[in-house]
Amino acid sequence: MMAYENDILIIPEKYKKMSVSELEIEKRKALKDLLSAERPKKFVKDIKKSICFRF
C-alpha cells in the first residue's frame, strides 16, 4: 500500500495504543494468516484456435 501526501488514513485506536514491539507481533500474525491461506492457482489456457495466414 502506498500513502500519498493528501491521503486520509484511518488508524484504529487499538493500533495507536500499541508499542512498536506489539505492532511487530501483530504484523507477523497478519502475515502468517495471509501466507497460510490457500491462494487460487493460475492456469495457462491452451489456445485451440488455428490461425491461417493467406498472402
Side-chain angles (χ1 to χ4, degrees), residues 32-46:
K32 182 181 172 186
D33 290 342
L34 285 173
L35 293 177
S36 67
E38 288 191 28
R39 297 182 216 155
K41 295 185 180 183
K42 295 181 181 178
F43 294 102
V44 178
K45 294 183 179 179
D46 294 333

Side-chain angles (χ1 to χ4, degrees), residues 7-49:
D7 285 351
I8 298 173
L9 299 176
I10 300 170
I11 302 170
E13 283 296 319
K14 148 182 160 177
Y15 296 120
K16 286 182 181 180
K17 294 178 183 177
M18 288 184 175
S19 66
V20 175
S21 59
E22 290 172 327
L23 288 171
E24 283 293 325
I25 293 169
E26 284 292 318
K27 182 180 94 172
R28 283 190 217 123
K29 284 181 188 176
L31 188 59
K32 182 181 172 186
D33 290 342
L34 285 173
L35 293 177
S36 67
E38 288 191 28
R39 297 182 216 155
K41 295 185 180 183
K42 295 181 181 178
F43 294 102
V44 178
K45 294 183 179 179
D46 294 333
I47 299 173
K48 296 186 179 183
K49 297 180 181 176

